Amino acid sequence: MITNTLSKEVETRLVTFFNDRIDAEYMAKALRQINFTIALGVMTKNEILQAETTQLGDSFYWLNELAEILDPYLDVK
């Protein structure tokens, strides 16, 4: 796993984005919808998406991780 540290400027921009511009729960919902669409395309063996299966798998994972950070829907017991 790659670990990158964010600069103070990037951290400030992210905080501003999520505090002032977009609701975290809405963003999490949108990320989950995008992930579903990508997964559905791969599962139906769309020729365009099939060539990028590995990269899409990684993207799917990281977008879900981000969605869980924004709104821990899957951790609810």
Side-chain angles (χ1 to χ4, degrees):
M1 178 185 291
I2 298 172
T3 303
N4 293 331
T5 56
L6 300 175
S7 69
K8 200 64 173 169
E9 179 184 351
V10 172
E11 286 182 26
T12 303
R13 289 171 138 186
L14 285 170
V15 168
T16 301
F17 179 77
F18 286 113
N19 287 341
D20 299 339
R21 296 187 183 177
I22 192 163
D23 178 55
E25 288 182 19
Y26 175 80
M27 176 64 113
K29 180 179 178 182
L31 289 170
R32 289 184 180 102
Q33 289 173 337
I34 291 167
N35 279 340
F36 175 76
T37 303
I38 292 169
L40 186 61
V42 171
M43 287 188 293
T44 58
K45 298 185 182 189
N46 182 319
E47 291 179 20
I48 294 170
L49 296 178
Q50 191 174 14
E52 302 294 329
T53 303
T54 302
Q55 183 178 359
L56 287 171
D58 292 344
S59 299
F60 186 80
Y61 173 81
W62 288 114
L63 284 174
N64 273 336
E65 287 293 309
L66 179 57
E68 283 301 300
I69 290 167
L70 296 173
D71 180 32
Y73 176 78
L74 298 176
D75 289 341
V76 175
K77 297 195 190 263

